[in-house]
């Protein structure tokens, strides 16, 4: 239909990819315009519905993103850093709204995404949930209000198959805490303590990553001060939460000027007083 937004899903065989495809199919005003997997994958040439274990959908899984992007207005990308950077260049050429949930991106990856965003709308967030994005806003405010006498520790726990640590969400929270304290996270972050570490550095923002079972995502920001401790937390219980946010971002991005956006823009949570950079 002419007024429907064609949304493609790359990496559709992944944990998030499957949910993203289902979410697009369930969203009024959106059409699933195509789905890709990596070259050599067993799903190539199969009907997506059957590959997902259900009824046929009339959508054939492909390995080349180019023709898929050519018939789409947006692409949802929860894959891996190298794939996401390659997709960004193609999405920019096709002027698609590129919604990126992939985490673990390095500085060089981010530079290439910034270059792509000169030509197209790119919405990237380490966490697409409303609650978690609100938590970043609260974290910045609390860090600012409590000041450096309160030690900040960020604890996260995820399922056993997660590849990167700390999670992209923990880094988002770290960036928010650093913004509240008006410091750079890169200077303040204390990651992976082990052995005789010595006393905690003044002003450090610590990270601890736990892995196990099938946990979708749990994050706690702890402010430990003299005589008291304040904890702000978020628990994700269903990954579909992130898929809903991603589809919302794809629809929100239609018609926006090229540039890099985050879920704070999509959810209209951006604090005019503060810049909270995201991973
Ligand atoms: N922002 C958020 O809200 C949010 C929420 C959840 C997860 N995430 C992030 O999203 C990413 C994916 O998470 P996941 O749990 O879904 O992982 P996953 O199950 O490993 O899925 C990743 C998928 O990407 C595919 N892929 C890799 N390279 C590709 C390429 N060149 N072309 C097409 N597909 C490719 C993988 O295929 P193979 O299996 O064939 O390698 C896999 O199916 C991670 O970075 C995770 O941290 C973000």
């Amino acid at each position: 239909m002419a007024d429907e937004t064609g949304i493609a899903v790359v990496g559709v065989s992944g944990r998030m990819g499957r949910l993203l495809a289902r979410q697009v199919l369930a969203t009024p005003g959106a059409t699933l315009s195509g789905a890709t997997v990596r070259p050599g994958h067993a799903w190539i040439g199969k009907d997506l519905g059957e590959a997902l274990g259900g009824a046929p959908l009339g959508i054939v899984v492909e390995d080349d993103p180019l023709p898929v992007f050519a018939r789409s207005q947006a692409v949802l990308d929860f894959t891996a850093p190298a794939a996401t950077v390659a997709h960004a260049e193609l999405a920019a050429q096709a002027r698609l709204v590129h919604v990126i949930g992939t985490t673990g991106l390095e500085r060089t990856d981010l530079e290439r995404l910034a270059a792509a965003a000169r030509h197209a709308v790119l919405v990237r967030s380490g966490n697409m949930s409303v609650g978690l994005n609100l938590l970043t806003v609260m974290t910045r405010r609390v860090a600012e209000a409590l000041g450096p006498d309160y030690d900040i520790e960020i604890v996260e726990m995820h399922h056993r198959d997660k590849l990167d640590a700390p999670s992209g969400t923990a880094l988002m929270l770290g960036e928010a805490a650093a913004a509240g304290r008006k410091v750079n996270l890169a200077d303040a972050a204390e990651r992976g303590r082990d052995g005789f570490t010595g006393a905690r550095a003044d002003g450090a923002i610590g990270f601890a990553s736990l892995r196990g079972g099938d946990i979708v995502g749990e994050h706690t920001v702890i402010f430990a001060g003299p005589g008291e401790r304040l904890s702000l937390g978020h628990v994700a219980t269903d990954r579909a939460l992130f898929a809903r946010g991603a589809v919302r971002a794809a629809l929100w991005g239609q018609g926006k000027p090229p540039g890099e956006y985050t879920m704070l823009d999509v959810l209209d949570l951006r604090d005019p007083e503060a810049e909270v950079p995201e991973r």
Side-chain angles (χ1 to χ4, degrees):
M1 272 173 268
D3 53 356
E4 297 256 311
T5 302
I7 304 179
V9 174
V10 286
V12 76
S13 62
R15 261 181 302 268
M16 281 305 303
R18 295 164 193 245
L19 292 172
L20 291 164
R22 290 202 174 96
Q23 188 61 41
V24 175
L25 289 166
T27 303
T31 313
L32 187 60
S33 50
T36 74
V37 289
R38 72 156 80 241
H41 195 280
W43 287 15
I44 297 165
K46 289 194 173 168
D47 183 277
L48 176 63
E50 288 173 344
L52 292 172
L57 288 168
I59 297 164
V60 175
V61 180
E62 300 173 53
D63 61 349
D64 183 359
L66 208 57
V68 175
F69 287 11
R71 56 176 191 269
S72 305
Q73 281 84 54
V75 54
L76 310 182
D77 185 342
F78 287 56
T79 57
T84 293
V85 169
H87 290 141
E89 281 156 19
L90 297 175
Q93 281 165 27
R95 303 289 189 265
L96 300 188
V97 174
H98 189 185
V99 178
I100 300 175
T102 308
T103 60
L105 295 150
E106 303 288 346
R107 180 171 298 279
T108 50
D109 300 324
L110 297 177
E111 285 165 5
R112 289 174 67 185
L113 295 186
R118 287 203 287 271
H119 309 286
V121 173
L122 196 148
V123 184
R124 184 174 62 83
S125 177
N127 192 303
M128 303 265 170
S129 98
V130 181
L132 197 289
N133 279 276
L134 197 52
L135 183 62
T136 66
V137 175
M138 294 188 318
T139 297
R140 187 193 70 77
R141 293 215 171 144
V142 173
E144 186 173 20
L146 293 178
D149 288 347
Y150 285 72
D151 297 326
I152 302 177
E153 293 283 309
I154 298 170
V155 184
E156 55 109 339
M157 186 158 187
H158 282 85
H159 56 90
R160 58 181 301 136
D161 295 318
K162 183 159 180 63
L163 299 178
D164 53 318
S167 67
T169 303
L171 292 168
M172 271 170 71
L173 293 166
E175 296 279 10
R181 281 194 170 166
K182 302 188 172 47
V183 299
N184 280 325
L185 181 62
D187 301 330
E190 216 169 273
R191 292 159 67 154
R193 298 186 189 107
D194 186 27
F196 189 80
T197 57
R200 192 180 197 284
D202 283 344
I205 296 174
F207 290 88
S209 298
L210 316 182
R211 294 287 175 266
D214 57 0
I215 290 174
V216 173
E218 300 186 4
H219 294 85
T220 309
V221 186
I222 301 163
F223 298 85
E228 64 175 349
R229 193 166 73 241
L230 175 66
S231 298
L232 302 177
H234 180 262
V235 176
T237 53
D238 182 356
R239 266 189 198 89
L241 169 76
F242 309 126
R244 281 195 295 276
V247 173
R248 184 165 167 177
L251 297 175
W252 174 90
Q254 300 301 313
K256 294 280 182 304
E260 284 190 273
Y261 300 90
T262 75
M263 282 307 282
L264 293 177
D265 300 303
V266 176
L267 300 170
D268 204 13
L269 287 176
R270 193 167 284 287
D271 187 337
E273 290 170 31
E275 271 306 299
V276 181
E278 286 192 58
R279 296 257 154 186

